[in-house]
Amino acid sequence: MSVETGGRRRAVAPRPGAGRKKAKKAAWNTLGILVFVVMGFPVYWMLNTSLKRLNEWQNYTPHFIPEHPTLKNFSGAFQASNFGIDLWNSVVITLGAVVVSLIVGFFGALAIARFHFAGKKVIIFTVLLVQMVPLIVLVIPVTQTLQNLNMTDTLYGIILTYLVFSVPYTVWTLRGFITNIPRELDEAAMVDGCSRWQTFFRVILPLTGPGLVATSVYGFIQAWNEFILITTINHDPRKQNMMAWLVQTATGSRGTDWGVLMAGATITSIPVVILFLAIQKNIATGLTAGAVKG
């Protein structure tokens, strides 16, 4: 490299370590591409298989591009036994769990973050402790409890079960967001004549929006993809979700129709993809905005 000074060209030596930085950057970019390929290939193969005809996905020689793409697998998935019912169950269970979890968890987080009362530290410790308990440990006691209450093979029983795991996370996450909102804003709103409810709706709720988005995404994914609890509690095929339908389709007595199965898996993945595309700008903000204070 050279620069011109006073009509003369003077060679400028490259900065020390510039080549090393470029090599390091290239190595990280290569690693990122490899990780993307490894993580994305199963998704590509799912889409690829869902568009193949029967003779193509049964062929021992893999075809990375369908020779004769078809949508018959998707129509076959919609016509499969209990597909529509389980899809509707997934929507009802997921939306019910997310909405109730946000309402209950938001008010619980508000109480912990804004008020002082006896047993506050015990409640915070309990909320944290529940999140540390593995899901598989609670399957048997939760199932026995629902059996005693005659709530097995019901959608509302599953929704209440999911709340046991989603509400503590919601409380713990939203507590950080509400704590980061200065109390002076509450006081200023009340000085201007707002009641506590008006302060909540006009000050706290709008400022906690990113946290609600991030928390709802987590709750949606957990409820939509859950499999162990619903198959243990609900034995009626008409009271299960799409994860259970996929497993039942994969383990059918007449063999597995991989084209229909992959089409069903693609349809199951669409709501999550749409959700991320719709609110992707708010996810990063929501995940970090509540991490400043404890």
Side-chain angles (χ1 to χ4, degrees):
M1 178 180 180
S2 61
V3 295
E4 185 174 350
T5 56
R8 298 181 180 180
R9 286 187 171 271
R10 183 170 58 89
V12 179
R15 291 180 298 174
R20 187 185 307 171
K21 290 182 178 179
K22 290 183 179 180
K24 186 177 180 180
K25 183 178 180 180
W28 279 112
N29 290 338
T30 303
L31 179 61
I33 294 174
L34 290 176
V35 171
F36 172 78
V37 171
V38 172
M39 299 295 292
F41 183 78
V43 179
Y44 161 74
W45 197 252
M46 175 184 70
L47 295 173
N48 183 29
T49 306
S50 67
L51 297 174
K52 288 182 178 179
R53 298 180 182 272
L54 179 64
N55 60 336
E56 291 187 53
W57 60 258
Q58 283 186 335
N59 197 328
Y60 288 103
T61 303
H63 296 274
F64 292 92
I65 298 177
E67 296 180 356
H68 304 285
T70 179
L71 296 177
K72 289 185 178 180
N73 293 322
F74 290 90
S75 60
F78 279 104
Q79 296 172 4
S81 176
N82 294 327
F83 178 87
I85 296 175
D86 289 343
L87 180 60
W88 174 251
N89 291 343
S90 292
V91 173
V92 173
I93 293 172
T94 301
L95 293 181
V98 170
V99 172
V100 177
S101 176
L102 286 178
I103 295 174
V104 176
F106 195 12
F107 283 107
L110 180 65
I112 294 175
R114 281 292 192 261
F115 301 100
H116 298 282
F117 51 89
K120 178 178 177 179
K121 293 184 178 180
V122 176
I123 294 177
I124 295 176
F125 176 77
T126 304
V127 169
L128 181 61
L129 183 63
V130 171
Q131 298 182 66
M132 300 172 63
V133 178
L135 172 64
I136 194 66
V137 176
L138 300 177
V139 170
I140 294 178
V142 168
T143 303
Q144 292 177 342
T145 302
L146 292 179
Q147 288 176 347
N148 295 333
L149 297 174
N150 295 323
M151 296 177 63
T152 56
D153 287 331
T154 61
L155 298 185
Y156 57 85
I158 292 296
I159 293 176
L160 292 177
T161 303
Y162 289 173
L163 293 179
V164 175
F165 308 100
S166 59
V167 168
Y169 173 83
T170 303
V171 171
W172 184 262
T173 305
L174 294 182
R175 170 180 169 268
F177 288 96
I178 298 174
T179 302
N180 289 334
I181 300 175
R183 291 178 178 269
E184 290 77 9
L185 294 179
D186 300 5
E187 297 172 356
M190 297 183 71
V191 168
D192 291 339
C194 292
S195 63
R196 286 192 178 275
W197 281 107
Q198 290 175 329
T199 302
F200 169 76
F201 284 109
R202 295 183 180 183
V203 178
I204 297 178
L205 184 59
L207 294 177
T208 321
L212 293 173
V213 171
T215 308
S216 63
V217 170
Y218 172 83
F220 184 93
I221 294 175
Q222 289 293 102
W224 186 265
N225 294 333
E226 204 283 321
F227 168 75
I228 296 177
L229 283 174
I230 195 168
T231 53
T232 304
I233 297 172
N234 289 357
H235 300 287
D236 186 355
R238 300 172 63 88
K239 299 295 182 181
Q240 295 183 347
N241 62 1
M242 284 302 300
M243 297 300 112
W245 182 88
L246 290 174
V247 173
Q248 292 171 0
T249 303
T251 57
S253 59
R254 298 183 179 180
T256 303
D257 189 335
W258 290 103
V260 173
L261 179 62
M262 293 298 101
T266 302
I267 296 171
T268 305
S269 305
I270 289 176
V272 179
V273 174
I274 293 177
L275 179 65
F276 269 91
L277 292 177
I279 60 177
Q280 59 179 335
K281 295 181 179 179
N282 298 324
I283 293 178
T285 303
L287 291 176
T288 57
V292 180
K293 293 182 180 180

